[in-house]
Amino acid sequence: DLQELSDSVRGADRDPQAFSGRYFKMSNDIDVQKVTNFTPIGNQLKGAGLENMLAFSGIFDGDGHTVYGVKEYYSSGMSLGLFGIVRDGTIKNLTVAKSSFEGSAAIGALVGLSIGKTTIENCHVASDVTVKATNYAAGLCGSAMPSPEGADSKLTINRSTNAASVEASFAAGILSTNQQVEVQIENSGNMG
């Protein structure tokens, strides 16, 4: 189901609002370890530039469940994570465990790149997760940037934690690099 969601975002003809207002809720833990190289939900695998950004813009509720066994290795890939790019969306009540992520830039176990008004709430990255990048990597969110159209942008991270091992130039536990005017991080912590 997660790979199908990734495929649907990839097939949305780059409409940044294709999933706006759509709600997805997990009903069980999900183990994707049999997937050789998981394709991030929203990504920038075809290279730099806005024209190559595929974003998830809906609401994803993990309902307290865990996604296990995500393996992403894209040596030149940008914007990788369970959710590679989230634009004006919400990810909540979710844990990522027993997973590994490796790429070029904007790599996060939960979200690689946040664009616009994005919320990460009650999400956790476990200690058995590794995140590696050339530049800009973090456990929760690799990078945040404003909306290209100049609309209001604000990344909000609340009640979330990282315990993953993160390795990169500009490595962090919660957020590596920020280009937004306003970011709000509350009641969150890093043990990685």
Side-chain angles (χ1 to χ4, degrees), residues 57-102:
S57 58
I59 300 163
F60 190 94
D61 185 353
D63 196 32
H65 295 290
T66 300
V67 175
Y68 296 98
V70 181
K71 295 180 292 274
E72 292 180 8
Y73 176 78
Y74 298 94
S75 60
S76 60
M78 299 172 65
S79 306
L80 303 179
L82 178 60
F83 291 85
I85 301 175
V86 177
R87 181 174 179 172
D88 301 324
T90 298
I91 311 298
K92 62 183 181 177
N93 307 320
L94 179 64
T95 297
V96 176
K98 297 181 183 175
S99 299
S100 60
F101 304 85
E102 187 170 345

Side-chain angles (χ1 to χ4, degrees), residues 88-129:
D88 301 324
T90 298
I91 311 298
K92 62 183 181 177
N93 307 320
L94 179 64
T95 297
V96 176
K98 297 181 183 175
S99 299
S100 60
F101 304 85
E102 187 170 345
S104 175
I107 314 299
L110 187 69
V111 176
L113 174 63
S114 166
I115 301 173
K117 292 183 102 172
T118 297
T119 299
I120 296 171
E121 184 172 359
N122 191 30
C123 289
H124 309 281
V125 178
S127 61
D128 53 9
V129 174

